[in-house]
Amino acid sequence: MDDEDIYDEFGNLINPSAVQDDASSSDDDGDNFNFFGANIDEDDQDGDSDDDEEQEEQRGTSSSLVLHEEKKYFPSVEEVYGADVETVVATTDAMDISEPLVEPEIEKHAKIEEKELPQTTYSKQYMWEISKLPSKVRNVALVGSLHSGKTSLLDLFILDTHNIKISRDLKNYKPLRYTDNHTLEVQRGISIKSSTMSLLLPNLKENSLITNIIDCPGHVNFMDEMAVGVRSADSCVLVIDVVEGLTKGLEMSIEHAIRTNTTMTLVINKIDRLILELRLPPVDAYMKIRYVIKEINDYVNEILESASSDPVNIDRTKYRFSPERGNVCFSSAKLNFCFSLRSFAKLYIERQNISNKKLSIDDLAHRLWGDIYLIDGRFTSKPANKVSSANKRSFVRLILEPIYKLVTHSLTKEPKDLQSFLYKSLGISRIPSSVFKLDIEILLKEIFKSFLGNSSMAFTDMIENHTPSPYDNAENKINDIIINMKNTNADIISAIKNCDPDGPLIAYVSKLIDTQDASRFYAQVRVLSGTLKIGEDVRLLGESFSEDYDEDWKQQDIRKLYLSCGRYKIGVDKLYAGSVGLVAGYEIDKFITKTATLFDMSFELSQLSIFKPLDFINEPLFKVIIQPLNPSELSQLVEGLKKLNKSYSGCEKTLH
């Protein structure tokens, strides 16, 4: 067929079917050629037929019948989330709409408590019996800034007196933090509430002294708990990190102590940081410690001058901190020691077998601080050359250098050589050989424990000699808690001043403490006069009691009494004057909001008045408005807010 018959004048195809017929006929008549013009043999044709059969089989399998329920449109839940994730699949009518698919974990116990009373080096019965003597009791509040080591310092005294096992494996080792008994405190690693620990501690003469130590939080948001601790105590111990120095939290604690006329002592804590972190030489470490003490004294003098109308007549000696006075201790929880100049002087006298007639503990202690030098075995205040004598200060030579040498030898010597060195140089042979193979942090604790002995002796000696007993502080306590001296009954003032266990009952409730399941509260009470007894009826006065409104009171029977000891309580029959303990009654926690006053039933109602409310230092700044999602649950919300108001001392509740 000619091209003219196929296309028209414009080049368009006239008859496409005719062209296709011609092409097919030419293919049938001619040979088979591939793309390159080569002839295709029969073997290649057979191979192509086999491939076609395989493709037909694959098409047959893919087009086979598949049930609807067996079809897979999306990946499974296990493929998406993994085999370790628990998944819950439920229909819309499986449960009520208000019920969650996954129930939240509800803690049944809000506090950690010992199941049984732990073993102690002293008799708990004996500790309770001698608490009848106010002169043998010290109520102390540990105050300071955040992470200054207050709780860790108290752990040293607890480990000295309690049989508590701590893992020696560094992987499983955790700080004790025995007074952080709330679950939130354990999870966050910070003290939130003040906690009392009653201990029977020995002094340097190995005489026993009852110490009710109140561990107060250091965070500025929980200053209300610090105010509660100072109100219940007779003195406070300032705990300061030697590296951080004076901080805002410590400044607020000092201001509150001076405002309430509370006696203060000082503990320079975390001495190990000067050695292990800053790596200061002994002379520089001494200068750092000296500067910290001077910094605190300067701030105290500044507060005294601004607070007093007559700065000239201020008794600054009462608030002056100095190691040679005995009101300063040095401690380190990491190295497991707490010492004072008196305790180190006692150690040297006993090790060197020096007679007390030649040199007493006080005489040697006064020579261990300040510009006193040890040259050729003699103490002198006027060295020949001040530059060359800088390393010969008595505190550096006799206290810091032995500590530095112990740390250096422990870090560098082999276990056998270290064990031999400790025995030959210091006479330490009580450490088992297996301990020398442990981690160096655990080993240092054991070495300093054997070298310096009981950590609580120096602390107890300090608070016994430089803090008042409940009897000595009774008059100051009157000025701190009584609202109006002129209108207060003279018999009440006289009973508080005498602090007599046989006198009329007068006590003060400073706060409410949660029970283990957080369903009820214990009342923390400070007994000012008389004896609180189980089964006795008392007058319980609320915060709004006054002459104009004398209905806010009730007659309450005492059901249970305890000595608070961190994670356990010691049940007792009586709480004597000067003691700090816990009270439980049938409705005592329902009546008390935050604070309360207890009086003997022998007093007439017209004679009574409540004590001063707490000074919370900081006013609440964070305001929250709450309403129930379901109006029918308003009563449950109100009940929860009441419990929150009782549990958190700094909370203010307003209902509209």
Side-chain angles (χ1 to χ4, degrees):
M1 183 178 293
D2 297 335
D3 294 340
E4 296 178 356
D5 297 334
I6 299 175
Y7 300 97
D8 61 10
E9 59 183 348
F10 300 103
N12 298 323
L13 188 64
I14 297 174
N15 190 4
S17 59
V19 176
Q20 293 177 359
D21 294 338
D22 292 340
S24 60
S25 60
S26 62
D27 292 337
D28 294 335
D29 296 337
D31 297 333
N32 293 330
F33 295 94
N34 60 9
F35 180 77
F36 300 100
N39 190 10
I40 303 175
D41 54 8
E42 296 179 356
D43 296 337
D44 293 337
Q45 293 180 2
D46 295 339
D48 292 340
S49 61
D50 294 338
D51 294 339
D52 294 340
E53 292 178 359
E54 292 179 1
Q55 292 178 1
E56 289 179 0
E57 291 179 0
Q58 292 177 358
R59 293 193 194 99
T61 55
S62 61
S63 60
S64 60
L65 182 63
V66 179
L67 298 177
H68 175 72
E69 56 271 14
E70 295 180 357
K71 290 184 179 180
K72 186 175 181 181
Y73 298 99
F74 305 101
S76 63
V77 177
E78 184 177 351
E79 293 175 354
V80 175
Y81 298 104
D84 298 335
V85 179
E86 180 184 0
T87 57
V88 178
V89 180
T91 58
T92 56
D93 58 347
M95 59 180 66
D96 190 75
I97 192 172
S98 61
E99 299 180 14
L101 292 177
V102 180
E103 291 288 344
E105 295 184 3
I106 300 176
E107 295 182 355
K108 297 182 180 180
H109 302 294
K111 299 180 68 176
I112 301 174
E113 290 189 0
E114 300 282 358
K115 297 181 180 179
E116 298 179 357
L117 294 181
Q119 296 181 356
T120 54
T121 57
Y122 52 82
S123 171
K124 301 179 181 65
Q125 177 73 18
Y126 175 72
M127 180 178 68
W128 171 67
E129 289 177 352
I130 65 173
S131 64
K132 190 174 182 179
L133 304 173
S135 60
K136 303 293 290 183
V137 178
R138 294 293 185 275
N139 300 314
V140 181
L142 291 181
V143 301
S145 59
L146 179 66
H147 295 319
S148 59
K150 301 179 295 296
T151 305
S152 300
L153 175 65
L154 185 53
D155 287 342
L156 291 180
F157 312 144
I158 296 174
L159 292 174
D160 284 341
T161 55
H162 289 65
N163 184 16
I164 299 177
K165 295 182 179 180
I166 296 181
S167 175
R168 290 184 172 181
D169 184 6
L170 193 62
K171 295 181 180 179
N172 301 325
Y173 177 79
K174 293 181 180 179
L176 184 60
R177 303 187 68 88
Y178 202 74
T179 51
D180 285 353
N181 48 15
H182 199 279
T183 53
L184 288 177
E185 295 175 325
V186 175
Q187 293 172 2
R188 300 181 183 182
I190 182 177
S191 298
I192 299 176
K193 296 178 178 292
S194 59
S195 181
T196 306
M197 189 74 197
S198 298
L199 299 170
L200 187 65
L201 300 179
N203 57 12
L204 292 179
K205 298 180 180 179
E206 298 186 359
N207 296 328
S208 299
L209 186 74
I210 300 177
T211 55
N212 298 315
I213 304 176
I214 305 174
D215 181 20
C216 303
H219 200 287
V220 292
N221 289 351
F222 307 126
M223 284 288 124
D224 54 295
E225 291 288 338
M226 189 270 288
V228 170
V230 174
R231 173 64 69 89
S232 302
D234 297 303
S235 63
C236 61
V237 176
L238 306 177
V239 182
I240 182 171
D241 188 336
V242 67
V243 175
E244 295 181 358
L246 186 63
T247 58
K248 185 60 180 178
L250 187 62
E251 289 178 358
M252 297 175 67
S253 302
I254 293 174
E255 292 176 9
H256 184 72
I258 293 176
R259 191 186 309 120
T260 56
N261 196 24
T262 304
T263 304
M264 296 182 291
T265 53
L266 180 64
V267 173
I268 307 294
N269 199 19
K270 298 189 178 181
I271 299 294
D272 59 277
R273 296 189 65 186
L274 300 177
I275 308 172
L276 301 175
E277 292 185 22
L278 300 184
R279 299 183 181 181
L280 296 178
V283 176
D284 294 344
Y286 166 76
M287 292 299 177
K288 175 62 176 176
I289 296 171
R290 189 172 181 174
Y291 173 77
V292 169
I293 297 175
K294 180 181 180 299
E295 187 181 18
I296 296 175
N297 284 327
D298 291 343
Y299 184 77
V300 169
N301 291 332
E302 180 183 343
I303 297 299
L304 289 174
E305 291 179 358
S306 61
S308 177
S309 58
D310 188 8
V312 179
N313 296 325
I314 297 176
D315 184 14
R316 290 183 171 84
T317 58
K318 178 182 178 182
Y319 294 104
R320 186 176 70 88
F321 301 107
S322 183
E324 76 269 11
R325 295 190 62 203
N327 59 357
V328 177
C329 278
F330 309 91
S331 66
S332 169
K334 183 169 288 188
L335 298 181
N336 201 9
F337 67 71
C338 178
F339 66 86
S340 63
L341 298 186
R342 281 176 50 84
S343 66
F344 238 101
K346 180 175 181 292
L347 179 66
Y348 273 109
I349 290 175
E350 291 178 350
R351 295 286 175 90
Q352 300 297 329
N353 295 323
I354 301 175
S355 174
N356 291 335
K357 296 180 180 179
K358 295 181 180 179
L359 187 64
S360 65
I361 294 177
D362 293 330
D363 293 337
L364 181 56
H366 283 101
R367 291 175 171 85
L368 293 178
W369 183 259
D371 296 329
I372 297 179
Y373 305 88
L374 182 62
I375 302 175
D376 297 332
R378 293 184 179 182
F379 293 102
T380 177
S381 59
K382 296 180 180 180
N385 189 343
K386 293 184 178 180
V387 177
S388 62
S389 301
N391 293 328
K392 297 181 180 180
R393 292 180 185 270
S394 58
F395 186 82
V396 176
R397 291 287 300 278
L398 298 179
I399 295 180
L400 288 182
E401 285 187 359
I403 294 176
Y404 270 73
K405 288 180 180 179
L406 270 181
V407 174
T408 304
H409 285 297
S410 301
L411 293 173
T412 57
K413 286 185 176 292
E414 294 294 330
K416 292 183 179 180
D417 297 336
L418 178 60
Q419 188 174 8
S420 176
F421 166 77
L422 294 176
Y423 177 72
K424 293 179 180 179
S425 302
L426 303 175
I428 299 176
S429 59
R430 292 172 293 178
I431 303 178
S433 301
S434 59
V435 177
F436 289 90
K437 300 178 182 179
L438 299 176
D439 188 84
I440 187 61
E441 184 175 346
I442 309 298
L443 178 59
L444 284 173
K445 290 178 180 290
E446 296 292 335
I447 291 176
F448 277 95
K449 174 69 175 179
S450 301
F451 175 57
L452 296 177
N454 197 327
S455 302
S456 59
M457 285 186 174
F459 179 83
T460 309
D461 183 74
M462 179 184 69
I463 65 173
E464 182 181 18
N465 297 326
H466 296 277
T467 61
S469 66
Y471 176 79
D472 298 330
N473 194 52
E475 187 171 355
N476 178 56
K477 211 66 181 173
I478 292 175
N479 299 325
D480 183 32
I481 64 175
I482 292 183
I483 297 177
N484 193 337
M485 290 283 292
K486 295 181 179 179
N487 298 335
T488 304
N489 187 277
D491 295 336
I492 295 176
I493 296 176
S494 176
I496 296 176
K497 283 184 177 181
N498 293 330
C499 194
D500 186 6
D502 298 326
L505 174 64
I506 303 173
Y508 172 72
V509 176
S510 58
K511 65 176 293 188
L512 295 175
I513 299 177
D514 305 332
T515 58
Q516 186 179 13
D517 57 356
S519 60
R520 300 291 297 272
F521 294 93
Y522 298 109
Q524 180 174 288
V525 62
R526 163 69 189 270
V527 184
L528 302 171
S529 173
T531 302
L532 200 58
K533 304 176 183 178
I534 291 181
E536 186 180 51
D537 291 341
V538 297
R539 292 187 188 273
L540 187 61
L541 275 60
E543 293 178 330
S544 59
F545 181 88
S546 63
E547 295 180 358
D548 300 330
Y549 182 70
D550 58 356
E551 297 180 0
D552 188 20
W553 75 278
K554 69 171 300 183
Q555 182 176 340
Q556 174 67 49
D557 61 328
I558 305 301
R559 295 294 181 92
K560 294 180 181 179
L561 296 172
Y562 300 97
L563 291 178
S564 181
C565 298
R567 296 184 180 180
Y568 68 94
K569 303 183 296 295
I570 302 176
V572 295
D573 298 331
K574 302 176 183 177
L575 285 178
Y576 300 104
S579 300
V580 177
L582 301 178
V583 181
Y586 181 67
E587 291 184 349
I588 194 169
D589 60 331
K590 296 181 179 180
F591 178 79
I592 300 174
T593 303
K594 289 184 183 297
T595 62
T597 309
L598 296 175
F599 282 104
D600 200 320
M601 292 296 295
S602 60
F603 288 106
E604 296 294 334
L605 193 62
S606 58
Q607 299 176 319
L608 305 181
S609 61
I610 63 172
F611 295 144
K612 289 181 182 179
L614 285 170
D615 180 11
F616 291 123
I617 305 175
N618 291 334
E619 294 183 358
L621 299 178
F622 188 71
K623 297 182 180 180
V624 180
I625 301 175
I626 306 175
Q627 65 179 11
L629 181 63
N630 187 357
S632 62
E633 298 176 351
L634 178 61
S635 59
Q636 299 179 13
L637 175 63
V638 173
E639 185 67 23
L641 290 177
K642 288 181 179 179
K643 289 185 177 181
L644 174 63
N645 187 38
K646 293 180 178 183
S647 176
Y648 184 24
S649 300
C651 177
E652 293 184 2
K653 176 174 64 69
T654 304
L655 296 177
H656 296 285

